[in-house]
Amino acid sequence: METYFSMRKSRISAIISTFIDALYEVALPYLSDPSIFYHRFGLYSKLIEEKSGLHNLSVWGFIDGTLRKTCRPSRFQKLVYSEHKRCHGIKFQSVTTPDGLIACLFGPINGNRHDSYMLRESGLLHRLQLLFPPGSERYSLFGDPAYPQSHLLFGGFRRPPPGSDEAKWNTQMSKVRETVEWLFKEIITKWSFLDFRASMKIFQFPVAKYFVVAAFLTNLHCCIH
């Protein structure tokens, strides 16, 4: 790149960093406002019902958290260490839609925090509540049972007996809920640098900005195709 652009690598690095900062500011409004997708809630709900074979779900999207692994930081190691994953990292909360878009992205949060903590800190349920005035049709998010259950967010049944109606319902919903996992994988596949753990140094690089920008570019790629 130094030869091609006739620049020193320090200047090229500064240009890339400036571009990432600018793109991050552009991306945030599109990844933090669920009202952008409000007019498609009905369509999303219909698609999920057709895919799952279940009726009267009124589910428009899926919510889940993801841990982005990082190097062990030089300080505050306990704050970013996940006992569950046995590694250091930062967490993000994502709401995905059936057409492969990230409707909301919140983070970063310390790697040792629970998904329910992220939900509370994001204020997502409050913003969704404002979208549904009294008497209007309501749509919900679907997540795992670890989330607090409400009319705006619910999950599957906990440990249902094998062969029961509850177990069958969980199986049907898992067929459509797996799209949120696919999208996390899609981001890492398209932007493999994020998976290069040796470069994910919290106090040296804007690791969180990298992921947010990658999520935004993945949305753009989805819209194009």
Side-chain angles (χ1 to χ4, degrees):
M1 291 180 71
E2 284 183 311
T3 303
Y4 187 83
F5 292 108
S6 298
M7 294 181 183
R8 293 186 177 182
K9 64 180 180 181
S10 59
R11 182 168 176 78
I12 295 174
S13 178
I15 291 171
I16 292 174
S17 297
T18 302
F19 179 74
I20 289 175
D21 289 342
L23 195 53
Y24 176 77
E25 295 298 327
V26 172
L28 279 183
Y30 294 99
L31 295 175
S32 58
D33 186 4
S35 65
I36 295 175
F37 296 83
Y38 178 74
H39 68 289
R40 295 178 66 85
F41 283 4
L43 172 62
Y44 290 154
S45 175
K46 182 179 179 181
L47 291 174
I48 292 172
E49 288 181 358
E50 291 177 354
K51 178 68 175 179
S52 65
L54 302 171
H55 302 288
N56 301 318
L57 287 175
S58 296
V59 172
W60 70 272
F62 306 96
I63 184 171
D64 200 7
T66 183
L67 178 75
R68 292 308 316 142
K69 297 179 181 179
T70 66
C71 289
R72 184 177 63 182
S74 57
R75 53 190 188 275
F76 306 119
Q77 295 176 11
K78 289 185 178 180
L79 292 178
V80 295
Y81 184 74
S82 170
E83 292 283 350
H84 177 63
K85 298 291 186 178
R86 304 289 183 181
C87 65
H88 296 85
I90 54 178
K91 298 188 74 172
F92 289 88
Q93 172 185 279
S94 176
V95 175
T96 62
T97 59
D99 53 0
L101 293 173
I102 300 173
C104 292
L105 186 69
F106 174 76
I109 287 291
N110 298 343
N112 64 349
R113 291 294 190 176
H114 193 270
D115 287 354
S116 59
Y117 175 85
M118 279 201 297
L119 177 66
R120 183 171 64 253
E121 288 297 302
S122 68
L124 175 63
L125 295 184
H126 175 68
R127 280 179 287 156
L128 290 176
Q129 181 72 46
L130 298 177
L131 293 178
F132 304 110
S136 66
E137 186 174 4
R138 293 176 179 266
Y139 295 93
S140 306
L141 292 172
F142 185 82
D144 59 52
Y147 284 106
Q149 309 293 292
S150 69
H151 63 282
L152 293 173
L153 168 61
F154 68 95
F157 296 95
R158 291 176 177 266
R159 305 184 191 88
S164 64
D165 290 339
E166 290 83 359
K168 294 177 182 177
W169 191 90
N170 280 358
T171 301
Q172 291 298 103
M173 285 304 294
S174 67
K175 293 180 181 179
V176 289
R177 185 182 176 273
E178 62 189 6
T179 56
V180 68
E181 301 293 345
W182 290 348
L183 198 50
F184 289 143
K185 182 180 179 181
E186 188 79 5
I187 294 173
I188 302 304
T189 300
K190 283 185 169 57
W191 320 102
S192 55
F193 172 72
L194 296 174
D195 211 27
F196 187 54
R197 203 164 157 187
S199 293
M200 297 295 104
K201 300 177 181 179
I202 295 178
F203 294 110
Q204 294 187 31
F205 302 103
V207 178
K209 285 185 178 181
Y210 290 159
F211 187 78
V212 172
V213 169
F216 179 62
L217 294 177
T218 302
N219 269 6
L220 298 184
H221 185 273
C222 180
C223 290
I224 290 172
H225 291 277

